[in-house]
Amino acid sequence: MSATRTPVLVVGAGPAGCVLALELAHHGVRSTVVERALRPPADPGLTLVSGRGMELLRRLGLAERIRCEAVDPDSPSAVVWSQAVGEPPVLITPVPSANDLRRRYARRADGSAPVEPYALVAGTDLAACLRDAVRAHPLVDLREGWTFTDLRLEPARTSATVLDGATRTRHVIEAEHLAGCDGARSTVRRCLGVPLDDAMAPAHHCTVYFRSSSLPHPFPGPSTIIADGMALTRRSGDDLWIGHVPLGPDDAAVTDPLALLQRFGVDASEVVGFDQWQEALGIARTYRRGTAYLVGESAHRFHPPSATVDTCLADAVDLGWKLAAAIGRWGGPGLLGSYEDERRQQAVLEREMLFRSLETRQRFGRLAAAGASHDYLAGVLRAEPPQLDPAGTSPGSDHATSAVVWRDGTGPAATTRPGTRLPAVRLGGGEQLFDLLGPQLTLIDLTADGSGAPLVDTAVTRGIPMAYLRIDDRVLRASWRSRLVLVRPDHYVAWRAAAPPSRWELVLDVVTGHSLQAEAQDPVNA
C-alpha cells in the first residue's frame, strides 16, 4: 500500500469538488481530487446557476465556458401551475431570458444586480465542463476511477484510504486538509459520524426521465409544470421531460416507472431512466471535524426540489480561499472556523426558503383538489415568493454576524455594510468593479490622497496578501460614504471606514481570524 501527501484532498469531482479545487488553484494551492466515476453522471435535468453563482464562477474564468453549454440565452423560461396534467394553466410565472436580464442589470447603477445573468444548463453538461477545467489545470491532480473508502483523523492532518479502480491497489493519501464533496450519500460524512438534521418527516419520491411528444407544454421555452403534486420539467427543443413524482406508502420500490407516470395521466413514449430519493431537507449537524470538512450536498441534502447549485458553489469558494489562507499561514484558526458558521447559516436560510416553496406547492394541490376557482388559486400563488430566483442576490444572504468581518454597528441599509456582498458597480470607464479585485483580499481606496496605501503595506509586511485598488470615480465617491473598503475573495465586505483607523493591526487580526473583535470599537471605524 503506497502513501502520498497533498495539501488538500478533495473527495468527489461534482460541481462542489471541482470548484473547490479550482478555487484553491486560483490562490496557488495544489490539490488532489479523487472521483469514483470515470465520467460525469448522466443528468439531463436542467440546473439553474443564478447570477450570483455565475459571479463566483466568473472569478475563476469559467462563466463563458458554462454559457457555451447553457440553453439559448434569448430563451425565457417559466413555472406553469395547473390543477392537473393537460388542463389549462392556472398561472404562468415567466422568468426573463438571460440576455433580457443582462440588459436590465446594465441599467441598474446601485450594484445590487449581479454582474452576470443566470445560466440554465443540463446537469451533465455543467459537470463535464467543470471536470474538464479541473483535468486541464496544472495545480490539480485529478484521479478518476479512484474510490474513497475510509479516513483517520490525526492531530494536524487527515489520512485517507482510497482504491484505484484500474489496478485494485489501495493507497493512503495524507492531507493537511480533506474536503468531502461526495454528495448526498457522502461516505466522508459517514466516516466522520456526522448526522443530518432533517426539517421534515422523510417523504419518498421518484425522478423519472422520459420522452413524450404528446404531453402538452403551454410555454414554448424551458419550463416546469406543477400539477397533481408533481413537477414536470421540459427542456427546450426536444421531447425529453424530467418528472419528480410523489410516492405513496405502497410504492416502496418502483419497478415500473411507466405505469407510475400513467397513474398521473402522463403519456410517456420512452423511459430513459429513473431514481428514487427521499425528501427531508437535511443539514449536517457540523461541517467540520478536525481537518476534515463537508462541502456541498454532503453538508446539505436539498436535491430535489432545489434546482440550483448556488449553495454548493458558494460552499466551495468559501472553504477554498480560507484553506488557502491557512496553508499560506496568514489565516488564523478563526478563519477556518468561520466556514461552518457562515455556510451552515446560509444552508438553514435556503432550507427555509425551500420549505416554504414546498408548502406553496402542497397548499396549491390541496386547494385545487377542494375545487378552488382558477382566480382564487392564481391569487394565492401571486402572494407567494417566486419558485426561482434568477439573480441569487437576496438581501438575506449575508455574513453580518460572522466573527471574521469587522462589525461597525451601521444598520442594514448601508451600501457597503461589512458582511454583505460588495455592490457590483460599473465604473465610469466601463470596467466592472468585481473584475478589478485581486485574488485574495483587496483594499478599495476612494480617498483623495491615497491614504489606504500604508494600510496595504502593513498587511503585506505581515504576510497577508492584499491588493491595492485606488479608484478615482466621482459617482462612486458620491454614493459610498466609506472611503476605504476591504473586500474578501468571495466579494463580501470585511471592513470599511471613512478614514484610516487608529488600530489597523486589530482590524487585520479580526478579518484574518487571529482574534475576536473587542467590545469597544475604534470610533474611526464606527
Side-chain angles (χ1 to χ4, degrees):
M1 184 183 297
S2 63
T4 57
R5 293 187 177 184
T6 184
V8 182
L9 174 62
V10 179
V11 180
C18 287
V19 171
L20 175 56
L22 293 169
E23 179 69 24
L24 289 164
H26 184 61
H27 300 284
V29 175
R30 294 183 176 275
S31 65
T32 300
V33 181
V34 294
E35 167 56 51
R36 178 177 57 188
L38 293 173
R39 59 186 61 86
D43 177 13
L46 291 176
T47 297
L48 174 71
V49 186
S50 77
R52 175 59 186 150
M54 293 298 287
E55 281 182 348
L56 294 176
L57 295 175
R58 179 186 175 108
R59 301 164 48 258
L60 304 177
L62 297 171
E64 288 308 313
R65 295 193 201 184
I66 290 171
R67 291 211 182 277
C68 290
E69 305 297 333
V71 301
D72 182 0
D74 288 315
S75 175
S77 56
V79 176
V80 180
W81 299 82
S82 294
Q83 290 177 292
V85 174
E87 292 194 6
V90 170
L91 183 70
I92 296 178
T93 306
V95 177
S97 72
N99 279 344
D100 187 9
L101 285 178
R102 187 187 295 276
R103 290 186 287 269
R104 296 188 195 184
Y105 294 162
R107 293 194 293 268
R108 289 195 205 168
D110 62 357
S112 60
V115 172
E116 294 270 353
Y118 73 91
L120 200 58
V121 59
T124 298
D125 295 336
L126 175 64
C129 179
L130 293 175
R131 195 179 294 194
D132 286 346
V134 163
R135 190 181 293 113
H137 204 292
L139 292 180
V140 184
D141 178 10
L142 174 61
R143 304 187 184 186
E144 295 168 288
W146 287 50
T147 301
F148 166 85
T149 60
D150 202 1
L151 61 79
R152 184 176 70 255
L153 292 174
E154 300 179 12
R157 64 177 182 269
T158 298
S159 295
T161 304
V162 296
L163 177 66
D164 181 347
T167 65
R168 310 305 297 173
T169 304
R170 291 192 179 277
H171 302 265
V172 173
I173 301 178
E174 294 183 351
E176 293 180 46
H177 303 274
L178 180 145
C181 306
D182 49 341
R185 299 181 178 93
S186 171
T187 303
V188 172
R189 187 179 65 233
R190 177 179 56 79
C191 291
L192 293 174
V194 177
L196 289 175
D197 290 334
D198 292 335
M200 54 192 290
H204 296 277
H205 290 69
C206 183
T207 296
V208 185
Y209 303 91
F210 65 96
R211 296 191 183 280
S212 175
S213 56
S214 61
L215 189 62
H217 44 87
F219 190 83
S223 56
T224 296
I225 300 174
I226 298 174
D228 290 326
M230 294 185 299
L232 301 172
T233 300
R234 172 184 173 269
R235 304 195 316 185
S236 180
D238 59 28
D239 60 356
L240 181 67
W241 293 77
I242 301 94
H244 300 311
V245 186
L247 299 179
D250 298 329
D251 300 315
V254 175
T255 57
D256 189 350
L258 192 61
L260 178 67
L261 291 172
Q262 289 172 346
R263 188 193 310 170
F264 287 87
V266 177
D267 182 19
S269 58
E270 176 190 4
V271 172
V272 178
F274 70 98
D275 182 34
Q276 288 184 242
W277 49 276
Q278 197 176 75
E279 175 184 87
L281 302 183
I283 298 177
R285 194 162 295 173
T286 180
Y287 279 26
R288 176 186 184 183
R289 291 207 192 283
T291 56
Y293 309 82
L294 299 176
V295 188
E297 288 190 344
S298 66
H300 38 79
R301 186 180 59 200
F302 294 160
H303 173 74
S306 176
T308 172
V309 295
D310 276 22
T311 303
C312 296
L313 301 181
D315 285 352
V317 170
D318 188 281
L319 181 61
W321 78 264
K322 291 172 181 176
L323 282 176
I327 292 168
R329 303 294 185 261
W330 61 270
L335 194 59
L336 272 178
S338 72
Y339 165 65
E340 175 173 337
D341 294 339
E342 294 183 357
R343 296 311 310 159
R344 196 174 189 280
Q345 175 184 340
Q346 291 303 305
V348 171
L349 176 63
E350 183 182 353
R351 180 170 69 179
E352 290 303 310
M353 295 169 63
L354 288 171
F355 193 72
R356 180 166 181 175
S357 176
L358 284 171
E359 286 184 322
T360 299
R361 295 187 185 190
Q362 292 166 359
R363 183 165 58 255
F364 172 76
R366 291 193 300 268
L367 290 171
S373 69
H374 275 217
D375 289 344
Y376 183 82
L377 289 170
V380 169
L381 294 174
R382 290 191 182 99
E384 293 294 325
Q387 294 278 310
L388 293 177
D389 175 17
T393 55
S394 59
S397 301
D398 61 36
H399 304 315
T401 61
S402 173
V404 292
V405 300
W406 185 272
R407 298 182 297 279
D408 59 18
T410 304
T415 306
T416 55
R417 182 170 61 99
T420 61
R421 166 183 165 273
L422 182 75
V425 297
R426 187 183 293 273
L427 302 181
E431 314 97 325
Q432 291 284 359
L433 177 59
F434 278 18
D435 292 341
L436 303 178
L437 301 175
Q440 283 92 20
L441 299 173
T442 301
L443 183 67
I444 298 174
D445 186 349
L446 297 174
T447 64
D449 58 356
S451 58
L455 304 182
V456 174
D457 291 342
T458 300
V460 173
T461 300
R462 287 184 47 170
I464 301 171
M466 185 179 294
Y468 179 52
L469 181 58
R470 189 176 180 187
I471 297 177
D472 182 10
D473 189 277
R474 179 180 56 81
V475 175
L476 203 57
R477 280 203 180 103
S479 59
W480 289 12
R481 186 183 68 181
S482 301
R483 292 293 178 257
L484 297 168
V485 181
L486 183 62
V487 187
R488 306 186 336 177
D490 55 3
H491 303 148
Y492 282 92
V493 176
W495 166 88
R496 51 84 183 272
S502 59
R503 297 187 295 175
W504 177 238
E505 292 278 357
L506 178 57
V507 172
L508 292 176
D509 285 343
V510 169
V511 300
T512 58
H514 285 89
S515 68
L516 295 175
Q517 184 173 348
E519 291 296 327
Q521 296 182 4
D522 187 337
V524 174
N525 293 326

